[in-house]
Short mmCIF file of all heavy atoms in Angstrom, two decimals:
data_model
loop_
_atom_site.label_atom_id
_atom_site.label_comp_id
_atom_site.label_asym_id
_atom_site.label_seq_id
_atom_site.Cartn_x
_atom_site.Cartn_y
_atom_site.Cartn_z
N PRO A 102 -2.49 -2.20 -3.95
CA PRO A 102 -2.78 -0.78 -4.23
C PRO A 102 -2.38 0.17 -3.12
O PRO A 102 -2.36 1.38 -3.32
CB PRO A 102 -4.29 -0.75 -4.46
CG PRO A 102 -4.80 -1.96 -3.75
CD PRO A 102 -3.73 -3.00 -3.88
N ALA A 103 -2.05 -0.37 -1.93
CA ALA A 103 -1.60 0.50 -0.83
C ALA A 103 -0.08 0.49 -0.71
O ALA A 103 0.53 1.53 -0.46
CB ALA A 103 -2.23 0.08 0.49
N GLY A 104 0.54 -0.67 -0.87
CA GLY A 104 1.98 -0.76 -0.62
C GLY A 104 2.80 -1.37 -1.73
O GLY A 104 4.00 -1.58 -1.56
N LEU A 110 -0.73 2.72 -8.95
CA LEU A 110 -1.78 3.35 -8.16
C LEU A 110 -1.42 3.46 -6.69
O LEU A 110 -2.06 4.19 -5.94
CB LEU A 110 -3.08 2.54 -8.29
CG LEU A 110 -3.69 2.43 -9.68
CD1 LEU A 110 -4.97 1.61 -9.62
CD2 LEU A 110 -3.96 3.81 -10.27
N SER A 111 -0.40 2.73 -6.27
CA SER A 111 0.01 2.70 -4.87
C SER A 111 0.81 3.95 -4.51
O SER A 111 1.55 4.47 -5.33
CB SER A 111 0.86 1.46 -4.62
OG SER A 111 1.50 1.51 -3.37
N PRO A 112 0.71 4.43 -3.22
CA PRO A 112 1.47 5.64 -2.83
C PRO A 112 2.99 5.56 -3.04
O PRO A 112 3.53 6.57 -3.48
CB PRO A 112 1.10 5.82 -1.37
CG PRO A 112 -0.27 5.23 -1.26
CD PRO A 112 -0.29 4.08 -2.22
N VAL A 114 3.35 2.51 0.29
CA VAL A 114 3.62 2.56 1.72
C VAL A 114 4.70 1.54 2.09
O VAL A 114 4.63 0.38 1.69
CB VAL A 114 2.34 2.24 2.53
CG1 VAL A 114 2.64 2.12 4.00
CG2 VAL A 114 1.29 3.31 2.29
N VAL A 128 4.20 7.99 4.86
CA VAL A 128 3.86 8.20 3.47
C VAL A 128 3.36 9.63 3.30
O VAL A 128 2.77 10.22 4.22
CB VAL A 128 2.77 7.19 3.01
CG1 VAL A 128 1.45 7.43 3.72
CG2 VAL A 128 2.58 7.23 1.50
N THR A 129 3.61 10.20 2.14
CA THR A 129 3.09 11.52 1.78
C THR A 129 2.21 11.35 0.56
O THR A 129 2.67 10.84 -0.48
CB THR A 129 4.22 12.51 1.49
OG1 THR A 129 5.05 12.64 2.65
CG2 THR A 129 3.66 13.88 1.12
N LEU A 130 0.94 11.71 0.66
CA LEU A 130 -0.01 11.48 -0.41
C LEU A 130 -0.10 12.67 -1.36
O LEU A 130 -0.13 13.82 -0.93
CB LEU A 130 -1.39 11.17 0.17
CG LEU A 130 -1.45 9.89 1.01
CD1 LEU A 130 -2.83 9.73 1.64
CD2 LEU A 130 -1.11 8.67 0.16
N ARG A 131 -0.15 12.36 -2.64
CA ARG A 131 -0.18 13.37 -3.69
C ARG A 131 -1.62 13.85 -3.93
O ARG A 131 -2.58 13.33 -3.37
CB ARG A 131 0.41 12.79 -4.97
CG ARG A 131 1.80 12.19 -4.77
CD ARG A 131 2.33 11.53 -6.04
NE ARG A 131 1.46 10.46 -6.51
CZ ARG A 131 1.46 9.23 -6.02
NH1 ARG A 131 2.26 8.91 -5.01
NH2 ARG A 131 0.67 8.30 -6.52
N LEU A 132 -1.73 14.83 -4.83
CA LEU A 132 -3.01 15.47 -5.10
C LEU A 132 -4.06 14.49 -5.62
O LEU A 132 -5.26 14.69 -5.42
CB LEU A 132 -2.81 16.61 -6.11
CG LEU A 132 -4.00 17.52 -6.39
CD1 LEU A 132 -4.49 18.19 -5.11
CD2 LEU A 132 -3.62 18.57 -7.43
N ALA A 133 -3.62 13.42 -6.27
CA ALA A 133 -4.57 12.42 -6.79
C ALA A 133 -5.38 11.76 -5.69
O ALA A 133 -6.43 11.16 -5.96
CB ALA A 133 -3.80 11.35 -7.59
N PHE A 134 -4.92 11.85 -4.43
CA PHE A 134 -5.62 11.24 -3.30
C PHE A 134 -6.48 12.24 -2.54
O PHE A 134 -6.94 11.97 -1.43
CB PHE A 134 -4.61 10.59 -2.35
CG PHE A 134 -3.86 9.44 -2.98
CD1 PHE A 134 -2.60 9.62 -3.49
CD2 PHE A 134 -4.45 8.19 -3.07
CE1 PHE A 134 -1.91 8.57 -4.07
CE2 PHE A 134 -3.78 7.13 -3.65
CZ PHE A 134 -2.50 7.32 -4.15
N GLN A 135 -6.74 13.40 -3.13
CA GLN A 135 -7.54 14.43 -2.47
C GLN A 135 -9.02 14.04 -2.42
O GLN A 135 -9.57 13.50 -3.38
CB GLN A 135 -7.40 15.76 -3.22
CG GLN A 135 -8.24 16.88 -2.63
CD GLN A 135 -8.06 18.19 -3.39
OE1 GLN A 135 -7.73 19.20 -2.81
NE2 GLN A 135 -8.30 18.15 -4.69
N GLY A 136 -9.65 14.32 -1.27
CA GLY A 136 -11.09 14.19 -1.13
C GLY A 136 -11.66 15.57 -0.91
O GLY A 136 -11.93 16.30 -1.87
N PRO A 137 -11.81 16.01 0.36
CA PRO A 137 -12.19 17.40 0.62
C PRO A 137 -11.07 18.33 0.14
O PRO A 137 -9.92 17.89 0.00
CB PRO A 137 -12.31 17.44 2.15
CG PRO A 137 -12.44 16.03 2.59
CD PRO A 137 -11.69 15.22 1.60
N HIS A 140 -7.28 18.14 1.31
CA HIS A 140 -7.13 17.07 2.30
C HIS A 140 -7.33 15.68 1.69
O HIS A 140 -7.97 15.54 0.65
CB HIS A 140 -8.11 17.29 3.47
CG HIS A 140 -7.79 18.48 4.30
ND1 HIS A 140 -8.28 19.74 4.01
CD2 HIS A 140 -6.98 18.63 5.38
CE1 HIS A 140 -7.81 20.61 4.90
NE2 HIS A 140 -7.03 19.96 5.74
N VAL A 141 -6.80 14.69 2.37
CA VAL A 141 -6.82 13.31 1.90
C VAL A 141 -8.24 12.73 1.94
O VAL A 141 -9.00 12.97 2.88
CB VAL A 141 -5.88 12.44 2.77
CG1 VAL A 141 -6.01 10.96 2.42
CG2 VAL A 141 -4.43 12.91 2.60
N HIS A 142 -8.58 11.96 0.91
CA HIS A 142 -9.88 11.29 0.84
C HIS A 142 -10.00 10.27 1.98
O HIS A 142 -9.05 9.53 2.27
CB HIS A 142 -10.00 10.57 -0.51
CG HIS A 142 -11.38 10.13 -0.85
ND1 HIS A 142 -12.05 9.12 -0.18
CD2 HIS A 142 -12.24 10.57 -1.82
CE1 HIS A 142 -13.23 8.95 -0.72
NE2 HIS A 142 -13.38 9.82 -1.71
N GLY A 143 -11.16 10.22 2.62
CA GLY A 143 -11.36 9.29 3.73
C GLY A 143 -11.20 7.83 3.31
O GLY A 143 -10.72 6.99 4.08
N GLY A 144 -11.61 7.51 2.09
CA GLY A 144 -11.46 6.13 1.61
C GLY A 144 -10.00 5.73 1.48
O GLY A 144 -9.65 4.56 1.70
N THR A 145 -9.15 6.69 1.15
CA THR A 145 -7.72 6.40 1.08
C THR A 145 -7.16 6.11 2.47
O THR A 145 -6.36 5.19 2.65
CB THR A 145 -6.97 7.58 0.45
OG1 THR A 145 -7.47 7.80 -0.87
CG2 THR A 145 -5.47 7.31 0.38
N SER A 146 -7.60 6.88 3.46
CA SER A 146 -7.17 6.63 4.84
C SER A 146 -7.60 5.23 5.28
O SER A 146 -6.82 4.51 5.94
CB SER A 146 -7.78 7.67 5.78
OG SER A 146 -7.30 8.97 5.48
N ALA A 147 -8.82 4.84 4.93
CA ALA A 147 -9.30 3.51 5.30
C ALA A 147 -8.48 2.42 4.62
O ALA A 147 -8.17 1.39 5.22
CB ALA A 147 -10.78 3.38 4.92
N MET A 148 -8.11 2.64 3.36
CA MET A 148 -7.28 1.68 2.64
C MET A 148 -5.92 1.52 3.32
O MET A 148 -5.43 0.39 3.50
CB MET A 148 -7.07 2.11 1.19
CG MET A 148 -6.17 1.17 0.40
SD MET A 148 -5.86 1.71 -1.31
CE MET A 148 -4.79 3.13 -1.03
N LEU A 149 -5.31 2.63 3.71
CA LEU A 149 -4.02 2.57 4.39
C LEU A 149 -4.12 1.78 5.69
O LEU A 149 -3.25 0.97 6.01
CB LEU A 149 -3.50 3.98 4.67
CG LEU A 149 -3.14 4.85 3.47
CD1 LEU A 149 -2.67 6.22 3.94
CD2 LEU A 149 -2.08 4.19 2.60
N MET A 150 -5.20 2.01 6.44
CA MET A 150 -5.38 1.31 7.70
C MET A 150 -5.60 -0.18 7.47
O MET A 150 -5.02 -1.04 8.15
CB MET A 150 -6.55 1.91 8.47
CG MET A 150 -6.26 3.25 9.12
SD MET A 150 -5.35 3.11 10.72
CE MET A 150 -3.67 2.77 10.20
N ASP A 151 -6.46 -0.53 6.52
CA ASP A 151 -6.73 -1.94 6.23
C ASP A 151 -5.45 -2.65 5.83
O ASP A 151 -5.17 -3.78 6.28
CB ASP A 151 -7.77 -2.03 5.12
CG ASP A 151 -8.14 -3.47 4.80
OD1 ASP A 151 -8.51 -4.21 5.73
OD2 ASP A 151 -8.05 -3.86 3.62
N HIS A 152 -4.65 -2.02 5.02
CA HIS A 152 -3.39 -2.59 4.57
C HIS A 152 -2.42 -2.80 5.74
O HIS A 152 -1.88 -3.90 5.91
CB HIS A 152 -2.75 -1.65 3.54
CG HIS A 152 -1.41 -2.09 3.06
ND1 HIS A 152 -1.22 -3.20 2.26
CD2 HIS A 152 -0.17 -1.56 3.27
CE1 HIS A 152 0.07 -3.34 2.00
NE2 HIS A 152 0.73 -2.36 2.59
N ALA A 153 -2.24 -1.78 6.54
CA ALA A 153 -1.28 -1.86 7.65
C ALA A 153 -1.73 -2.88 8.70
O ALA A 153 -0.90 -3.65 9.22
CB ALA A 153 -1.12 -0.48 8.30
N LEU A 170 -13.92 -3.61 9.47
CA LEU A 170 -12.96 -2.52 9.65
C LEU A 170 -13.71 -1.32 10.20
O LEU A 170 -14.61 -0.78 9.54
CB LEU A 170 -12.27 -2.17 8.33
CG LEU A 170 -11.18 -1.12 8.40
CD1 LEU A 170 -9.97 -1.64 9.18
CD2 LEU A 170 -10.74 -0.69 6.99
N VAL A 172 -13.33 2.43 11.25
CA VAL A 172 -12.44 3.57 11.07
C VAL A 172 -13.08 4.82 11.65
O VAL A 172 -14.24 5.12 11.35
CB VAL A 172 -12.11 3.80 9.58
CG1 VAL A 172 -11.13 4.96 9.42
CG2 VAL A 172 -11.53 2.54 8.96
N PHE A 174 -12.55 9.02 12.13
CA PHE A 174 -11.82 10.17 11.61
C PHE A 174 -11.87 11.29 12.65
O PHE A 174 -12.94 11.79 12.99
CB PHE A 174 -12.42 10.63 10.29
CG PHE A 174 -12.39 9.56 9.22
CD1 PHE A 174 -13.47 8.69 9.06
CD2 PHE A 174 -11.30 9.41 8.40
CE1 PHE A 174 -13.44 7.70 8.09
CE2 PHE A 174 -11.25 8.43 7.43
CZ PHE A 174 -12.33 7.57 7.27
N ILE A 178 -6.50 15.12 7.11
CA ILE A 178 -5.08 15.00 6.80
C ILE A 178 -4.76 15.85 5.58
O ILE A 178 -5.29 15.61 4.50
CB ILE A 178 -4.71 13.54 6.53
CG1 ILE A 178 -5.01 12.66 7.75
CG2 ILE A 178 -3.23 13.42 6.14
CD1 ILE A 178 -4.78 11.19 7.52
N ILE A 180 -3.15 17.19 2.23
CA ILE A 180 -2.40 16.65 1.10
C ILE A 180 -0.96 17.18 1.16
O ILE A 180 -0.72 18.34 1.48
CB ILE A 180 -3.05 17.07 -0.24
CG1 ILE A 180 -4.36 16.28 -0.46
CG2 ILE A 180 -2.11 16.88 -1.41
CD1 ILE A 180 -4.16 14.80 -0.74
N ILE A 184 2.64 11.50 6.65
CA ILE A 184 1.70 10.79 7.51
C ILE A 184 2.43 9.62 8.16
O ILE A 184 3.06 8.81 7.46
CB ILE A 184 0.50 10.25 6.71
CG1 ILE A 184 -0.20 11.38 5.96
CG2 ILE A 184 -0.48 9.52 7.62
CD1 ILE A 184 -1.16 10.87 4.89
N ILE A 186 2.15 6.05 9.92
CA ILE A 186 1.22 4.93 9.99
C ILE A 186 1.68 4.00 11.10
O ILE A 186 2.84 3.57 11.12
CB ILE A 186 1.18 4.16 8.66
CG1 ILE A 186 0.84 5.11 7.50
CG2 ILE A 186 0.19 3.01 8.73
CD1 ILE A 186 1.02 4.47 6.13
N LEU A 204 -3.34 6.76 12.05
CA LEU A 204 -2.61 7.65 11.17
C LEU A 204 -2.38 8.96 11.92
O LEU A 204 -3.32 9.53 12.48
CB LEU A 204 -3.40 7.93 9.89
CG LEU A 204 -3.81 6.73 9.04
CD1 LEU A 204 -4.59 7.20 7.82
CD2 LEU A 204 -2.60 5.91 8.61
N VAL A 212 -6.59 9.60 12.37
CA VAL A 212 -7.46 8.47 12.07
C VAL A 212 -7.08 7.31 12.99
O VAL A 212 -5.89 7.05 13.20
CB VAL A 212 -7.32 8.02 10.60
CG1 VAL A 212 -8.18 6.79 10.32
CG2 VAL A 212 -7.68 9.14 9.65
#
Side-chain angles (χ1 to χ4, degrees):
L110 298 180
S111 168
V114 173
V128 66
T129 300
L130 297 176
R131 307 176 301 279
L132 188 58
F134 295 99
Q135 178 179 235
H140 292 89
V141 173
H142 194 291
T145 300
S146 296
M148 178 183 71
L149 294 179
M150 285 279 77
D151 182 53
H152 176 69
L170 184 67
V172 182
F174 300 91
I178 300 175
I180 287 291
I184 304 165
I186 304 170
L204 303 179
V212 177

